[in-house]
Amino acid sequence: MNNNNKQNALKSFACALWQDINQKRIIGAASNLTYSTLLAFVPIMAVVFAIARGFGYSIYIEEWFKSSLSSQPEAAETIIGFVNSYLIHTKKGIFLGIGLLFMLWTTLMLISNIESTFNDIWQVRRQRSIFRTITDYIALLFLIPIVIVISSGLSILIAALDHQLKDSVVLGPLMSFSIELSPYLLLSIAFTTLYVFMPNTKVKLSSAIIPGIIAGTSMQLFQSIYINSQIWISNYNAIYGSFAIIPFFLLWLQTSWIICLVGAELSYTRQNSEDFIGNIPTEPSFASKVDASWEVLQIINKRFNNGEKAVTAEEIKKEIKISMRNINNILYDLERTHLVAEVVHDEKGDFARYLPAESLENMTKEHLTTKLANLGSKLL
């Protein structure tokens, strides 16, 4: 019976996860990010190549990039040509300013779209402050290329050690295993970091590690399949010629983002598993929304009248036993009706608390119903 309960719970969790993915339109979001990435790809690679040249191993970066697109050597050569041309022209005259502005705009737009998509997955309505947006985005703009350069440098170092130790009985196989494992490890760390850092809310590391490993492993396996499908792609090239690089590059970007976003959704469901296990999310009626909003409003007002510390969303959830996603949407709508005000003590909302925005002594359920009806909003 225990096993049956576990199987039923797992089945309901999987169904709820799939429904949540559909509700949040993960495929469509991946398409939007694919377009943003396409615009920002050459500028970002230009930064990577420029930093690599500063470290003195731009040749190794080119080899790494060509190996990543070994199934499409024409695409790799074309992109490298674009990057080199971009770097040359940014040193000349007015293009220096225009080129840098375009690089910053496309890259920051990509990061902004990623954050917005992750916030949608996590049901976060509040954006980063302007100061934090500027500092975080600029940090990412420079850290990502540096991480790529350093990781490729480590790969070169490990490969050199493997060549020296290949005759060793013990260290040779160990080093070869490390080389094979390193891409999975690096991608898993990258996805885990992205899942923790990017949403503008508190994400537990324990909720992001397993999705990060799953996404990193899936990405590396997809990359291996993509690289090893040269025969099929060669046949495609025979039909479409040089234009074949475009759809296959877009396919690579789209699939990569789908893997990333599904991992982000899995991270969200792990942290809020009690909302999913044994419960497939459904859209509540307007009447149930009003009832739940009234309960939340009473809890916030009671805390305020008793002179106690302002309540958090987690504390509200413990009292009225509804899902965190619905509580977040209720609080968001109550803010929009100017009945509740959010007090944020931390940029990522770790300590966000809620107070009455006006006197609620004369508030009635009918008055609340009218305010919510005027919003024309629904819970997700």
Side-chain angles (χ1 to χ4, degrees):
M1 187 67 182
N2 237 347
N3 289 334
N4 287 335
N5 288 338
K6 287 181 180 179
Q7 289 177 359
N8 290 334
L10 184 61
K11 185 178 179 181
S12 65
F13 180 84
C15 291
L17 174 62
W18 176 249
Q19 183 171 335
D20 206 49
I21 287 173
N22 286 331
Q23 285 180 347
K24 292 171 183 174
R25 298 176 177 85
I26 295 297
I27 307 299
S31 299
N32 292 335
L33 289 175
T34 296
Y35 172 74
S36 300
T37 306
L38 196 62
L39 284 178
F41 192 80
V42 171
I44 289 175
M45 290 308 300
V47 175
V48 172
F49 275 61
I51 292 174
R53 288 175 184 176
F55 279 94
Y57 46 80
S58 59
I59 295 175
Y60 301 112
I61 286 290
E62 286 193 21
E63 290 178 356
W64 162 79
F65 186 72
K66 288 177 182 177
S67 66
S68 299
L69 290 176
S70 60
S71 58
Q72 296 184 66
E74 291 183 8
E77 292 293 343
T78 302
I79 293 171
I80 290 173
F82 285 154
V83 169
N84 289 329
S85 177
Y86 189 91
L87 289 174
I88 290 170
H89 283 85
T90 50
K91 298 176 182 177
K92 296 182 179 179
I94 191 171
F95 193 82
L96 173 63
I98 297 173
L100 288 176
L101 286 175
F102 180 75
M103 181 191 72
L104 287 172
W105 178 73
T106 55
T107 306
L108 294 179
M109 184 183 72
L110 172 61
I111 299 173
S112 176
N113 288 342
I114 295 171
E115 180 191 356
S116 178
T117 304
F118 273 60
N119 284 345
D120 287 342
I121 290 173
W122 279 87
Q123 308 287 312
V124 176
R125 307 289 189 179
R126 183 181 60 259
Q127 300 296 320
R128 282 174 166 85
S129 65
I130 295 177
F131 173 77
R132 183 128 181 274
T133 297
I134 294 172
T135 55
D136 287 359
Y137 285 11
I138 291 176
L140 278 176
L141 179 62
F142 290 101
L143 281 177
I144 291 174
I146 291 172
V147 168
I148 293 174
V149 171
I150 292 174
S151 62
S152 62
L154 289 174
S155 300
I156 294 167
L157 176 62
I158 293 173
L161 290 174
D162 178 58
H163 181 72
Q164 294 177 2
L165 299 172
K166 64 180 179 181
D167 295 329
S168 173
V169 177
V170 177
L171 295 179
L174 182 62
M175 192 59 64
S176 297
F177 176 74
S178 299
I179 290 175
E180 293 179 3
L181 184 64
S182 58
Y184 294 90
L185 182 62
L186 289 172
L187 280 172
S188 298
I189 293 172
F191 278 115
T192 301
T193 304
L194 187 67
Y195 296 154
V196 172
F197 172 81
M198 189 53 70
N200 191 32
T201 188
K202 176 71 173 178
V203 180
K204 298 175 184 176
L205 182 61
S206 58
S207 300
I209 288 177
I210 292 179
I213 293 172
I214 292 173
T217 303
S218 301
M219 186 64 192
Q220 186 60 29
L221 290 174
F222 165 68
Q223 183 76 354
S224 299
I225 294 170
Y226 185 82
I227 290 173
N228 292 324
S229 59
Q230 294 184 31
I231 297 176
W232 181 49
I233 292 176
S234 296
N235 293 333
Y236 200 84
N237 287 340
I239 300 172
Y240 290 95
S242 59
F243 285 101
I245 66 173
I246 299 173
F248 276 100
F249 185 64
L250 291 175
L251 173 65
W252 178 73
L253 286 177
Q254 172 90 3
T255 307
S256 299
W257 277 120
I258 290 173
I259 291 171
C260 176
L261 297 182
V262 170
E265 178 65 34
L266 185 57
S267 177
Y268 169 76
T269 53
R270 275 182 58 79
Q271 185 157 313
N272 299 280
S273 57
E274 67 276 9
D275 294 346
F276 289 85
I277 295 177
N279 175 41
I280 297 177
T282 55
E283 185 177 337
S285 65
F286 180 74
S288 62
K289 173 185 174 179
V290 172
D291 292 338
S293 300
W294 180 253
E295 287 186 70
V296 170
L297 206 57
Q298 296 306 306
I299 292 169
I300 294 172
N301 194 43
K302 181 181 177 182
R303 282 284 193 105
F304 179 76
N305 290 335
N306 292 340
E308 300 175 14
K309 195 172 184 179
V311 69
T312 65
E314 290 77 10
E315 291 169 341
I316 293 172
K317 181 182 177 183
K318 290 177 182 177
E319 292 199 36
I320 62 176
K321 306 294 183 184
I322 64 173
S323 69
M324 182 58 69
R325 65 171 59 204
N326 285 347
I327 289 174
N328 286 334
N329 279 285
I330 286 169
L331 290 169
Y332 177 68
D333 282 345
L334 289 176
E335 284 185 82
R336 292 168 65 201
T337 58
H338 306 293
L339 295 174
V340 166
E342 181 188 56
V343 182
V344 181
H345 298 285
D346 183 87
E347 277 287 348
K348 293 199 82 173
D350 298 40
F351 306 104
R353 295 178 178 275
Y354 297 88
L355 294 167
E358 61 180 58
S359 175
L360 301 176
E361 296 302 322
N362 298 321
M363 174 62 61
T364 64
K365 200 168 183 179
E366 289 72 22
H367 188 199
L368 175 63
T369 302
T370 303
K371 280 183 169 288
L372 291 176
N374 289 337
L375 289 178
S377 61
K378 294 182 180 178
L379 286 176
L380 298 177

